[in-house]
Amino acid sequence: MNIRFTGFGGQGIILSGVIFGWAAILNGKNAIQTQSYGSSARGGACKCDVIIQDSYIYELVPTGNDILVAFSQPAFEKYKNSLLKNGLLFYDSDLVRTDSFESNSFSISATDLAFKEFGQKLFANIIMLGFINSKTKLINAEAIEESIRQYVPSKFADTNINAFRLGMKLN
Amino acid sequence: MNIRFTGFGGQGIILSGVIFGWAAILNGKNAIQTQSYGSSARGGACKCDVIIQDSYIYELVPTGNDILVAFSQPAFEKYKNSLLKNGLLFYDSDLVRTDSFESNSFSISATDLAFKEFGQKLFANIIMLGFINSKTKLINAEAIEESIRQYVPSKFADTNINAFRLGMKLN
Amino acid sequence: MKNELLKYLRTDILPTEFCSGCGCGTVLNIFCHVVDELKINPDDIIMVTGIGCSSWIPSPYFSADTLHTTHGRAIAFATGVKVMKPDKHVIVIAGDGDLAGIGGNHLIHAARRNIGLTVFLVNNYIYGMTGGQVSPTTPSNVPTTTTPYGNTEPAFKIAELVSAAGASYVARWTTYQVFHLKKAMKDAILNKGFSFIEICSQCPTSYGKRVGMREGIDQLKDFRDNSIDLKKTAGMKDEELENKFIVGKFAERNRTEFTENLRNINRKFDEVPV
Amino acid sequence: MKNELLKYLRTDILPTEFCSGCGCGTVLNIFCHVVDELKINPDDIIMVTGIGCSSWIPSPYFSADTLHTTHGRAIAFATGVKVMKPDKHVIVIAGDGDLAGIGGNHLIHAARRNIGLTVFLVNNYIYGMTGGQVSPTTPSNVPTTTTPYGNTEPAFKIAELVSAAGASYVARWTTYQVFHLKKAMKDAILNKGFSFIEICSQCPTSYGKRVGMREGIDQLKDFRDNSIDLKKTAGMKDEELENKFIVGKFAERNRTEFTENLRNINRKFDEVPV
Amino acid sequence: MIREKDKIEIYIDEGLCKGCDICIELCRPGVFVKSEKLNSRGYYVPVPASMNKCTGCMICELICPELAVIIKKNELVKEVV
Amino acid sequence: MIREKDKIEIYIDEGLCKGCDICIELCRPGVFVKSEKLNSRGYYVPVPASMNKCTGCMICELICPELAVIIKKNELVKEVV
Amino acid sequence: MTRENYLSKLKNRTLFIQGDEAAAYGALYAGCNFFAGYPITPASEVAELMAKELPKVDGYYIQMEDEIASIGAMIGAAWSGGKSMTATSGPGFSLMQENIGYACMTETPCVIVNVQRSGPSTGQATLAAQGDMLQARWGTHGDHEMIALSPSSVQESFDLMLEAFNLSEKYRNPVIFLLDGEVGHIREKVVFPDINEVNIHPRNISKEKVDVFGGMRIPPMIEFGQGHRIHVTGSTHKSNGMRDVVSQEAHDKLIRRLNDKIESNRDEISKYELHFTDDMEYLVVSYGASARPSMGAVLKLREKGYKVGFLRLITIWPFSSTIVKELGKKVKNIFVPEMNLGQISREIERFVSCAVHPVSKIGGVAHTINEIVYEIESEVKKY
Amino acid sequence: MTRENYLSKLKNRTLFIQGDEAAAYGALYAGCNFFAGYPITPASEVAELMAKELPKVDGYYIQMEDEIASIGAMIGAAWSGGKSMTATSGPGFSLMQENIGYACMTETPCVIVNVQRSGPSTGQATLAAQGDMLQARWGTHGDHEMIALSPSSVQESFDLMLEAFNLSEKYRNPVIFLLDGEVGHIREKVVFPDINEVNIHPRNISKEKVDVFGGMRIPPMIEFGQGHRIHVTGSTHKSNGMRDVVSQEAHDKLIRRLNDKIESNRDEISKYELHFTDDMEYLVVSYGASARPSMGAVLKLREKGYKVGFLRLITIWPFSSTIVKELGKKVKNIFVPEMNLGQISREIERFVSCAVHPVSKIGGVAHTINEIVYEIESEVKKY
Ligand SMILES: Cc1ncc(C[n+]2csc(CCOP(=O)(O)OP(=O)(O)O)c2C)c(N)n1
Ligand SMILES: Cc1ncc(C[n+]2csc(CCOP(=O)(O)OP(=O)(O)O)c2C)c(N)n1
Ligand code: SF4
Ligand code: SF4
Ligand code: SF4
Ligand code: SF4
Ligand code: SF4
Ligand code: SF4
Ligand SMILES: [Mg+2]
Ligand SMILES: [Mg+2]
């Protein structure tokens, strides 16, 4: 199971992958997470891959993604073709237009929602995580919540959990 | 023909070798000159080798010296055994005691002489060159004088030539 | 409507990759104004830079001959450039880590030589590009990714140091003082010897957030509220000046430029008969 | 009759390899007096040095733990030493080329950090060991083996520079002012933070002869005749000070020492319950 | 009474702007407001809402990190009111 | 009249001295002279010729680059002349 | 806090961390108490974790003005009783070369992490590579031997770091920890052991004053401040540490001993892993990140019926020539997947007479299993 | 003074000078007009001569604050129209490694002289060695090729320096001039040629704006100030010079081209000298100073009736593998006298299957003829 999170730096792309990977491990699976970003800390495109398997993972580079998450247009354009047939596309509908791209796709206004609900665009990624999990049921929600608490600063933990739960409820 | 000049740094040891080597070339021979010194500019022992041959020189390290010139006790002790059987030893009698060392040897008070005749100990090496050449007649004196003029600062050239000629006259 | 100054930039790669609110962009902006107002043909400019966010101001954004060197070495490379191209404006723009951290020795030696380079050091108080490690200009006690318990080292006063090293023009301004900075940049470019401006600049991503200033504007307000004119500092105590940005001109001296000295030697040999 | 101070030296390698009349020997001599008068046990001294004639003062002559490092890096190595051995006297003695040339960056950064090192920079105005190439302290116009037509660069004022970098104790003396130098060395060793003395020293072999001073004594007389007290220089013009040796104390500041800051952090974790 | 009209034009290059709010916050007369909607790159760009308040001080143009603000000072067009 | 005698002893370590003349030249009262003959290492070493002129200023001991000068200040031995 | 208290808190913990971080934890387990470094992608995470954790074990993190100062401070600390390390990547590693030679020459135990990124020069700073394998061996001037290790997983990054410190103490030599940016930046599960189950090689310190630079092949150390007034130099020295920069014998003796202490223990230092080599016709040799898809490819090729064996190098230097020689005799072809243009494959060529095929990939992306399978299959089918 | 006037004064002159000085004169003949350096034994003589002579040809000598700055200034000058060089020895060469990679990456023509002294580290600073042969190839991080030359006499030091500059221009690559301290410091007779008889490869400068970093294997250069606003970077870049630090393809394309431009011209770059190889049973391979007593030994062995051949390598990198492979097939044993513990002998092992015997000597003294004769005779007699 290969999942790719993509967008600009600063959108919490990498954090999403880390949370997801650790949640998978909490669920008793093997996981590796890798990331890549442009050379400036923020501006460039950024991606984060998570590979989840039951057995030892020899393959370090996903050869196709089962799930693609897109938080920016350039990232979407760059990576859309990595989506496997029957793969699922998740994207922020304010930031990405998929036009004629054909796939099983799901979208929400995560960034706008985050800003308006929680006062910070930063929570968009966690809302998206909830949304993805509600659609895919890949990992149980408790493991993801535990993982969120592990990785976000404790003073923001509750807000993040709320964001996650908000995402879980979206359609 | 291997000639080794030895002493402390600052005594003009290397200059002696260079002058001698160039003089040999002026005489139509092949010559290489090498030098080695301790790691401080002055204090340590210092040596200068000149190899003179009619043919191309493949051997870079003299395997024994036909002539050894010693300007200090430590240098003498260190290098005396490099003198070939029948080799000639030249030394400054104020600075070197040869004790029981057996060889064909020649000595003068070059340093004291230099200071007293020319006001500078520095001329000792050139006096010695003259002395050596008077004893060995290795290279013609004109070539050596030409070489001296080439290598010493022009304002000291005449004094050096005088020092050389003084050396030629010593016994 | 496009900004006319974009003609000075390599526009195909815009918008910049700088974070939103980053002071590097402001430096780039003001520099474009300066080149425009001084009517310098960019063909007469050679930009030299190192590695870091600030180094991206010239490389790749400003459109002139550009030498993007290794980390910390811009001034060393620029020295070779200036010796061979004494009539060009050789301009170095790079960061605090690059020029005063790893590159500090080249900085002080170039200042000593008084070689005709113009150096704009963008001091964002942090290693920005690598994600926020302490820099030699990070104030004491500030937490960074490599000083999680607060910085144990005092910060350089770079303008003062470069002045002590012998530069012929030295100033410090912040990205808030846009007009002073613009004027200073002009003076620096027109000065013949080694010219240096320390530009205090905001880095919301890697520095600001560490000191409670999440957005670029927060640091700009800090610059606005806590800058103090060098001329007014005489007699002030160190404590009073803590956390202040002392701005102004630190040095302006008449000294012969290095490459001119070199050429003077060569000229002597022009007259030598063959 | 032997000098009692020889007990501080590795005597089996005496006499030194310094040239006759070299100031390095005088520095060594006075340093022995200082250690003796301060009653410091050499076992509590760690000497760190670089490459050059001046670096031979501690390596090999002074008999204490000695770290003879690569060229220019003495202060960097000494930083690691001091962090791990904060209670020892960590003393660096090296040359102008070593500490202010290739090693200039480590020098200014250590001064900034105010790490508790004692640094004696033996400024002989030249690269002595390698045979007389121009150094960053060689005065302008002086001919050296690599500036046959006269030095085209101005010289560093090292004491001033190190002071601007933040050192807590800075002085300059020449080998002629033996008593002042002895006193300053004591002050430097006793000061807790970064202490620095620029010692102007004669090098007859590689420098003196280039400026018409063939013997060590000639340069000493120059020091004698052309030294001027820092306190008397206020208001004097640059031209008046040219070719003068400005001697005196340049800085004495109270700042916390770097390794103490580090240990304060560690102490916080002593109390953490397991 | 004579009024100066269209003295100054203000343009924001939306393709460059990164919504840092610096121009909004540092314009003393408060010419700009924040847009309501994210632009396609995820930023709320400034809108010059009160152009007539603009003093032409140029700060916004000089300080914008993206060269996204353009202040055009036209020749004065005076009209009699 | 009371004279101080043997107040100060001066030693030169010939094994260390490199004949740089610094002590000779910088001793203000001129205590030292140059030896007549080279020593075995090729130097003319100083000789403390006018010991009685010595003021005990210690300069020679401190400045000698070879630690070759030793100034011993004994307790004063006063004698009536 | 004492190191024991600290480690007892870590014990049996499972974390999802990067190879860089695992290496740092490994160092803390090994007793590292001094880190001097300078930030650089992709090695900064090692420094950042050390900055956070070292004070907890009463150790010291310092950030220096550059990489040259970092390795200098590290060596200074090592002689002052520190178990010390630094971490960098290509550009910084190049800058450290002079003082790596110094560490060899002075027989200073210490660990230098190089998290390899895509070079030469600044290259692609955020992308992984294995381009410094031969630089680790030959980067500094003069004859010298080197110890270098390369882990293939995050857990191994932890485990092998313990080994790195132990080897550095045992052989009194710097050890290069050749992470690649891939293993350095991957996040995987790591489980920390109990400190009591971990084997730490203590520094061999002599209480008495002895020769610290000779007299035996690996002489004991002395620490500054013991009162022995030792002399440490990067110049050629006698066994007591005093310089001898003129005699040929002194240099010959010293340098041959330094080389010999590694060379003669080659087989002991050499660590590797073998799979399916009994009946093999072809051999795959790999290491670091590349070893992961390589092993995946071997499994796949076996499934397809190819008799492929696998040698994973863990120790890179000294080179595991004994096993390579031996295996080389059994096969017709050796394939060497590396994230470079063929570096270790060159070393292999020295010891075998069969054909050696580099399976090179550069540009920051690890090989996929299929890429390796394809390369091997198409070569093998030629026969 | 113009370069022509200057050189016409030198023409046909015979001098008794050191290899270092001959190298400097060679550079002046080649048109070198920029030197940036930092003093170090045994390379300072190159700098000192350049400082004296460069102003006479309207060139510039500058002494920088260290070796890193020196190579930096040199590269900056090269892009500003300079034919530039620097000279150093081991410690400085180690410090230059990062920017040697930069010069490769930016395809900057320039010459770096390394007058090798006895290392590692400070070693024996005044004594000669050939210990940096492999460092010259692998010292900087990341995959790269290198051109390196090594002269065996003072006259060749002059002649080969011309070649070094020409190769650097032709292949747009830094060239390492691997003098050893022995040849560098020996004084021998040199005769200067007439400048008209000397072949100078001019810099390939494009007047039009073109891609300076691709489009063809060795693209033309552009000089700063031509108005083309070029972008030069040590990061991975496209053919127009603009950074591309994320795409695998960009890196792969660039780095493979950089390697290929040397590798595919290996035989053209490779210079060597053969003696007695027609009927040989044993082969001696050597270079630099070691080649002198090696040739002496070959002559002596021939006198004694041994069928010994001799290959003197002049180009060290790229390695002359074609001839080595060919000769290796004809002999049972190859002997490699080197002033190191066996460096080029390792490279030879990659290409031959006969036995390769290093004839190592370290500690600053060149081999004597008899030492080499003895080593070879005693090995040969075993059969
Ligand atoms: C030799 C070397 N060491 C370290 C790095 C990693 N590095 C890249 S940018 C940078 C810091 C840049 O900081 P600064 O110069 O202040 O620029 P900023 O990003 O803050 O503008 C570092 C350490 C490198 N590229 N090369
Ligand atoms: C990296 C490196 N570069 C150059 C040298 C050569 N070198 C040895 S000593 C020295 C100069 C020493 O000058 P200084 O520090 O002033 O000491 P001095 O001999 O004048 O006392 C140099 C350049 C070296 N050893 N290492
Ligand atoms: S990290 Fe800081 S300096 Fe770099 S682009 Fe972002 S805000 Fe600017
Ligand atoms: S060269 Fe100069 S510094 Fe070195 S020992 Fe001689 S006089 Fe002293
Ligand atoms: S300052 Fe520039 S980038 Fe920032 S919000 Fe205003 S227009 Fe946009
Ligand atoms: S020019 Fe000045 S007043 Fe007008 S919008 Fe810009 S900042 Fe505001
Ligand atoms: S100062 Fe010392 S070395 Fe010099 S002459 Fe006097 S005793 Fe001898
Ligand atoms: S102590 Fe003073 S007076 Fe006496 S000999 Fe020495 S310098 Fe002269
Ligand atoms: Mg910065
Ligand atoms: Mg000096």
Side-chain angles (χ1 to χ4, degrees), chain E residues 8 10 23 26-32 48 51 53-61 69 71 73:
Chain E
I8 293 171
I10 306 179
C23 55
L26 290 187
C27 170
R28 282 179 209 175
V31 169
F32 302 99
M51 296 258 265
K53 290 195 207 157
C54 173
T55 63
C57 75
M58 298 295 289
I59 287 178
C60 58
E61 179 180 310
V69 185
I71 303 291
K73 298 189 192 177

Side-chain angles (χ1 to χ4, degrees), chain G residues 46-350:
Chain G
V46 182
E48 288 169 356
L49 201 133
M50 293 307 266
K52 201 160 135 250
E53 301 300 304
L54 269 175
K56 299 180 184 168
V57 296
D58 204 15
Y60 298 98
Y61 168 91
I62 57 175
Q63 186 170 309
M64 296 298 287
E65 52 275 15
D66 64 16
E67 289 88 350
I68 300 175
S70 301
I71 185 169
M74 178 188 72
I75 297 171
W79 280 97
S80 308
K83 273 205 162 185
S84 55
M85 81 185 285
T86 186
T88 188
S89 186
F93 193 60
S94 287
L95 287 173
M96 288 184 183
Q97 289 305 331
E98 186 194 13
N99 285 312
I100 289 176
Y102 182 90
C104 291
M105 194 72 158
T106 53
E107 303 176 71
T108 305
C110 57
V111 175
I112 299 150
V113 180
N114 175 0
V115 190
Q116 296 167 87
R117 67 188 221 186
S118 193
S121 197
T122 310
Q124 297 189 315
T126 62
L127 302 186
Q130 297 170 330
D132 313 344
M133 306 306 291
L134 283 166
Q135 184 192 27
R137 177 69 185 83
W138 297 109
T140 193
H141 61 283
D143 290 296
H144 60 283
E145 282 283 337
M146 192 46 80
I147 303 179
L149 311 174
S150 186
S152 290
S153 69
V154 176
Q155 181 71 49
E156 194 176 38
S157 189
F158 174 90
D159 298 338
L160 210 52
M161 183 54 85
L162 287 162
E163 181 80 10
F165 272 93
N166 285 348
L167 289 170
S168 84
E169 296 293 346
K170 186 161 180 196
Y171 295 103
R172 260 189 73 186
N173 211 73
V175 171
I176 315 275
F177 199 72
L178 278 174
L179 267 165
D180 46 58
E182 194 68 29
V183 173
H185 265 186
I186 274 186
R187 252 190 200 78
E188 281 187 299
K189 188 172 94 171
V190 175
V191 185
F192 293 129
D194 186 335
I195 180 68
N196 298 316
E197 289 160 16
V198 160
N199 190 4
I200 304 289
H201 195 288
R203 181 161 300 175
N204 181 9
I205 291 277
S206 168
K207 289 259 154 60
E208 275 96 68
K209 178 154 188 172
V210 292
D211 277 4
V212 192
F213 298 98
M216 56 190 79
R217 199 185 269 155
I218 308 170
M221 262 185 101
I222 272 178
E223 178 178 322
F224 287 156
Q226 277 181 249
H228 294 169
R229 308 199 186 169
I230 54 169
H231 188 265
V232 180
T233 179
S235 293
T236 300
H237 43 273
K238 296 178 283 198
S239 57
N240 65 358
M242 300 308 289
R243 267 197 300 271
D244 180 345
V245 294
V246 288
S247 98
Q248 201 230 323
E249 299 69 38
H251 193 75
D252 188 83
K253 189 171 160 196
L254 174 66
I255 303 304
R256 285 192 194 266
R257 178 175 64 75
L258 295 185
N259 280 263
D260 196 43
K261 74 178 178 183
I262 309 292
E263 175 60 33
S264 68
N265 288 301
R266 176 181 290 274
D267 289 338
E268 198 188 313
I269 301 170
S270 155
K271 276 188 89 171
Y272 53 81
E273 202 179 272
L274 292 176
H275 299 277
F276 314 121
T277 50
D278 288 344
D279 66 340
M280 67 179 175
E281 290 171 12
Y282 315 102
L283 174 67
V284 175
V285 183
S286 192
Y287 55 87
S290 309
R292 298 278 285 267
S294 294
M295 181 64 189
V298 168
L299 291 171
K300 201 156 184 175
L301 286 162
R302 279 271 161 188
E303 269 172 34
K304 290 187 171 193
Y306 294 100
K307 297 206 161 160
V308 189
F310 185 51
L311 165 64
R312 181 167 76 87
L313 300 171
I314 300 170
T315 305
I316 304 297
W317 307 111
F319 189 68
S320 301
S321 50
T322 312
I323 186 75
V324 166
K325 236 181 240 169
E326 193 188 308
L327 298 178
K329 286 182 198 140
K330 298 194 196 171
V331 297
K332 289 180 288 194
N333 301 72
I334 298 181
F335 298 90
V336 192
E338 303 180 80
M339 292 174 73
N340 58 42
L341 290 178
Q343 298 197 3
I344 293 302
S345 66
R346 290 173 192 252
E347 191 69 11
I348 293 173
E349 286 173 346
R350 293 180 53 214

Side-chain angles (χ1 to χ4, degrees), chain B residues 154-170:
Chain B
S154 50
K155 60 177 170 174
F156 297 117
D158 289 341
T159 321
N160 275 289
I161 297 292
N162 290 340
F164 177 71
R165 291 180 183 168
L166 172 66
M168 290 274 285
K169 282 184 223 129
L170 294 176

Side-chain angles (χ1 to χ4, degrees), chain C residues 18-255:
Chain C
F18 299 130
C19 307
S20 165
C22 171
C24 290
T26 302
V27 175
L28 177 63
N29 186 344
I30 297 177
F31 181 63
C32 289
H33 277 88
V34 165
V35 171
D36 201 59
E37 292 177 20
L38 289 178
K39 297 196 170 50
I40 298 176
N41 180 345
D43 291 349
D44 292 328
I45 295 177
I46 302 169
M47 305 291 304
V48 186
T49 185
I51 307 283
C53 298
S54 316
S55 297
W56 285 33
I57 296 170
S59 163
Y61 300 115
F62 191 84
S63 177
D65 283 332
T66 310
L67 188 60
H68 178 236
T69 73
T70 44
H71 185 43
R73 313 305 172 187
I75 289 177
F77 281 68
T79 297
V81 172
K82 185 72 186 179
V83 169
M84 296 309 288
K85 294 283 180 202
D87 301 330
K88 299 288 174 187
H89 297 284
V90 182
I91 300 176
V92 174
I93 307 184
D96 48 321
D98 190 277
L99 291 170
I102 188 169
N105 209 29
H106 311 305
L107 176 61
I108 57 177
H109 280 273
R112 172 177 65 77
R113 271 182 205 113
N114 197 36
I115 182 166
L117 306 176
T118 305
V119 178
F120 301 141
L121 183 153
V122 181
N123 183 1
N124 59 9
Y125 302 96
I126 200 78
Y127 287 176
M129 176 161 282
T130 43
Q133 297 83 9
V134 70
S135 120
T137 57
T138 307
S140 295
N141 303 318
V142 166
T144 70
T145 62
T146 49
T147 57
Y149 312 110
N151 182 14
T152 48
E153 308 187 12
F156 262 146
K157 298 175 181 170
I158 312 185
E160 287 85 338
L161 181 72
V162 173
S163 176
S168 60
Y169 178 92
V170 180
R172 178 190 290 122
W173 295 102
T174 78
T175 44
Y176 177 78
Q177 290 102 12
V178 286
F179 298 107
H180 286 104
L181 178 55
K182 181 149 68 75
K183 171 70 168 64
M185 280 188 173
K186 289 184 187 170
D187 292 346
I189 290 174
L190 296 177
N191 174 53
K192 277 212 130 226
F194 188 82
S195 314
F196 180 84
I197 305 177
E198 177 184 346
I199 304 173
C200 309
S201 173
Q202 70 275 22
C203 166
T205 304
S206 295
Y207 181 72
K209 72 171 179 206
R210 293 283 175 164
V211 290
M213 304 190 235
R214 298 214 138 253
E215 306 293 333
I217 181 67
D218 302 333
Q219 277 189 273
L220 281 169
K221 286 177 181 167
D222 188 35
F223 294 154
R224 178 187 64 196
D225 301 339
N226 290 302
S227 286
I228 176 163
D229 190 327
L230 172 64
K231 291 178 215 124
K232 298 195 182 130
T233 58
M236 285 176 73
K237 293 207 197 85
D238 277 4
E239 300 85 75
E240 295 176 79
L241 292 172
E242 220 172 290
N243 298 322
K244 296 283 183 230
F245 305 93
I246 304 174
V247 296
K249 195 194 294 171
F250 286 72
E252 194 161 22
R253 303 184 184 108
N254 218 341
R255 302 170 69 212

Side-chain angles (χ1 to χ4, degrees), chain D residues 119-193:
Chain D
V119 178
F120 300 142
L121 182 153
V122 181
N123 183 0
N124 59 8
Y125 303 95
I126 200 79
Y127 287 177
M129 177 162 280
T130 43
Q133 298 81 8
V134 69
S135 124
T137 56
T138 307
S140 296
N141 304 318
V142 165
T144 70
T145 62
T146 49
T147 56
Y149 312 110
N151 182 13
T152 49
E153 308 187 11
F156 262 146
K157 298 175 181 171
I158 312 185
E160 287 86 337
L161 181 72
V162 173
S163 177
S168 61
Y169 179 92
V170 180
R172 178 189 292 120
W173 295 103
T174 77
T175 44
Y176 177 77
Q177 291 101 12
V178 286
F179 298 106
H180 286 103
L181 179 55
K182 181 149 69 76
K183 172 70 170 65
M185 280 189 175
K186 289 183 186 171
D187 292 346
I189 290 174
L190 296 176
N191 174 52
K192 277 211 128 226

Side-chain angles (χ1 to χ4, degrees), chain H residues 318-329:
Chain H
F319 189 68
S320 302
S321 49
T322 311
I323 185 73
V324 166
K325 235 181 240 169
E326 193 186 307
L327 298 178
K329 285 183 198 139

